[in-house]
């Protein structure tokens, strides 16, 4: 049976990956320093190593018996990256370099990396393909782009089999036999979980209502986390020795902040209290994926729409 190391397996997306990999017949080791993840989110069938990707010894320990890595661990907040760019370079770039060095020592050659649409920055096309220019508009995107470049180098120099999956906006939750696995960041910055936290006293802040979009709020491409992880499992099977591929993961559809609020209001049966505020630093106006490459290379398609995402987030929080 194949054992996979999942870095960041205590986080929102990583913990759902762990559970789905185990259900698909893989064995799993999790490496996580619990800086933003939750120990309780790690499936009890997985082997857990508590440690950081900045610590080579922890990486080496967690790689024992593994044939492949899915690398989620890292810092992932655009706003925080604008304030602390060095932290993002250190954790995301140095951490990934350490991981690749330890993989080399251990003879592990397959990796699927959690990259980001933030690598593209402010796109010039209406949908973003993998051929679109990478021009990140914040240090978070810049750090993910550096790791994509590092993977390309290591595939050429060391024969690493790698796929970088560039996520657009991930949402939704997974119900398991031990409860819901869901997004629970503190502080929470992401739109959909924040929508369901909104109260009259603490309304949802709509960041910017002067964007060049149809309703003047930002447009994003939302993908259900279960669809996202199914694409990772396909990617694990699709990596080729000495090849690095970049593949976008989204739904291929764009929704404005106001449209997401309306979908959430329908799912919850209540009005969402909101106020319009200034734009948030580092946000592009529109980010929508072309997902033709994912469909072709991974033989994958997203199956869950925005309504399914908001319903799952609502149900998992209640
Ligand atoms: N957003 C918002 N209010 C919030 C959180 C997010 O208006 O409390 C907007 C944000 O400006 C962006 C979109 O919702 O246009 C998605 O933001 P999120 O932080 O969820 O993901 P990102 O696009 O930064 O990856």
């Amino acid at each position: 049976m194949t054992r996979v190391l999942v870095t960041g397996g205590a986080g929102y997306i990583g913990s759902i990956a762990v559970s789905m990999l185990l259900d698909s017949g893989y064995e799993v080791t999790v490496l996580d320093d619990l800086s933003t993840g939750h120990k309780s989110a790690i499936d009890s069938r997985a082997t857990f190593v508590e440690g950081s990707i900045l610590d080579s010894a922890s990486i080496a320990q967690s790689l024992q018996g593994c044939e492949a890595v899915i690398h989620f661990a890292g810092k992932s907040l655009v706003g925080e990256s604008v304030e602390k760019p060095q932290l993002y370079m250190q954790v995301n770039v140095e951490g990934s370099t350490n991981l690749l060095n330890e993989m080399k020592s251990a003879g592990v050659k397959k990796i699927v990396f959690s990259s980001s649409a933030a690598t593209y920055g402010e796109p010039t096309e209406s949908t973003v393909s993998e051929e679109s220019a990478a021009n990140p508009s914040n240090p978070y995107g810049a750090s993910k782009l550096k790791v994509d470049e590092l993977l390309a180098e290591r595939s050429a120099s060391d024969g690493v089999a790698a796929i970088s999956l560039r996520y657009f906006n991930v949402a939704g939750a997974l119900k398991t036999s031990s409860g819901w696995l869901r997004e629970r960041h503190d502080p929470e910055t992401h739109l959909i979980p924040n929508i369901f936290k909104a109260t009259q006293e603490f309304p949802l802040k709509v960041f910017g209502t002067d964007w060049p979009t149809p309703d003047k709020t930002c447009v994003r491409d939302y993908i259900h986390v279960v669809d996202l992880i199914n694409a990772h499992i396909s990617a694990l099977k699709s990596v080729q020795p000495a090849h690095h591929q970049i593949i976008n993961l989204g739904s291929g559809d764009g929704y404005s902040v106001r449209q997401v609020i309306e979908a959430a209001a329908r799912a919850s049966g209540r009005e969402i209290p909101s106020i319009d505020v200034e734009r948030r630093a580092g946000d592009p106006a529109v980010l929508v994926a072309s997902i033709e490459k994912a469909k072709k290379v991974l033989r994958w398609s997203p199956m869950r729409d925005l309504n399914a995402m908001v319903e799952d987030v609502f149900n998992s929080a209640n």
Side-chain angles (χ1 to χ4, degrees):
M1 210 183 290
T2 305
R3 179 170 283 274
V4 179
L5 169 61
V6 178
T7 72
Y12 161 48
I13 300 174
S15 65
I16 292 175
V18 170
S19 198
M20 288 178 62
L21 283 163
L22 288 160
D23 286 346
S24 306
Y26 291 89
E27 293 179 326
V28 176
T29 300
V30 170
L31 175 67
D32 199 299
D33 65 2
L34 302 179
S35 57
T36 53
H38 304 269
K39 197 171 177 183
S40 61
I42 304 171
D43 195 302
S44 58
R45 296 170 289 173
T47 302
F48 176 45
V49 175
E50 185 172 344
S52 166
I53 51 169
L54 296 174
D55 174 31
S56 296
S58 296
I59 301 171
Q61 187 194 337
S62 64
L63 277 168
Q64 283 171 22
C66 293
E67 285 174 35
V69 177
I70 305 186
H71 178 31
F72 296 101
K75 295 270 157 201
S76 62
L77 300 177
V78 168
E80 184 186 54
S81 81
V82 174
E83 283 160 29
K84 300 177 187 166
Q86 289 305 343
L87 178 70
Y88 275 65
M89 284 299 150
Q90 188 197 21
V91 177
N92 293 0
V93 182
E94 269 181 52
S96 300
T97 307
N98 292 340
L99 176 64
L100 283 162
N101 290 344
E102 291 308 313
M103 284 173 63
K104 188 174 181 181
S105 302
V108 178
K109 294 215 157 193
K110 294 182 185 178
I111 181 165
V112 174
F113 173 57
S114 164
S115 184
S116 170
T119 51
Y120 296 112
E122 184 76 48
T124 46
E125 300 96 342
S126 55
T127 60
V128 182
S129 83
E130 295 80 357
E131 261 70 68
S132 302
N135 185 20
S137 45
N138 52 61
Y140 166 63
S143 72
K144 290 286 181 181
L145 179 60
K146 280 219 176 323
V147 180
D148 289 345
E149 291 166 353
L150 182 66
L151 288 169
E153 283 166 29
R154 296 294 178 99
S155 69
S157 63
D158 300 340
V160 170
I163 292 184
S164 290
L165 296 173
R166 288 189 171 164
Y167 307 171
F168 285 64
N169 288 63
V170 186
L174 174 69
K175 194 172 190 178
T176 70
S177 53
S178 41
W180 283 97
L181 293 173
R182 63 188 178 90
E183 200 168 4
R184 42 188 179 130
H185 297 124
D186 187 18
E188 184 57 71
T189 64
H190 289 137
L191 178 62
I192 298 178
N194 273 347
I195 284 177
F196 291 117
K197 285 187 170 176
T199 59
Q200 293 296 342
E201 196 187 352
F202 299 105
L204 176 82
K205 292 179 181 160
V206 176
F207 295 135
T209 52
D210 58 351
W211 294 98
T213 61
D215 70 13
K216 310 272 186 253
T217 64
C218 285
V219 171
R220 293 286 182 277
D221 178 327
Y222 296 86
I223 175 172
H224 196 294
V225 63
V226 171
D227 285 330
L228 183 95
I229 301 307
N230 279 327
H232 285 65
I233 295 173
S234 299
L236 259 189
K237 296 173 185 155
S238 306
V239 289
Q240 303 283 343
H243 272 78
H244 171 242
Q245 296 202 76
I246 290 172
I247 300 177
N248 289 344
L249 291 182
S251 64
D253 292 320
Y255 294 94
S256 73
V257 173
R258 294 231 194 276
Q259 286 176 312
V260 178
I261 294 172
E262 282 161 21
R266 281 196 302 276
S268 63
R270 68 171 182 109
E271 282 302 303
I272 309 295
S274 72
I275 50 162
D276 297 346
V277 301
E278 290 295 296
R279 292 181 178 190
R280 184 175 67 175
D283 267 341
V286 180
L287 212 43
V288 180
S290 159
I291 56 168
E292 296 314 309
K293 189 170 178 184
K295 286 181 178 171
K296 197 168 146 219
V297 176
L298 303 178
R299 286 184 220 92
W300 163 93
S301 280
M303 309 294 284
R304 294 158 186 82
D305 64 8
L306 180 67
N307 289 326
M309 293 178 227
V310 290
E311 278 164 23
D312 284 349
V313 176
F314 177 68
N315 289 328
S316 68
N318 286 282

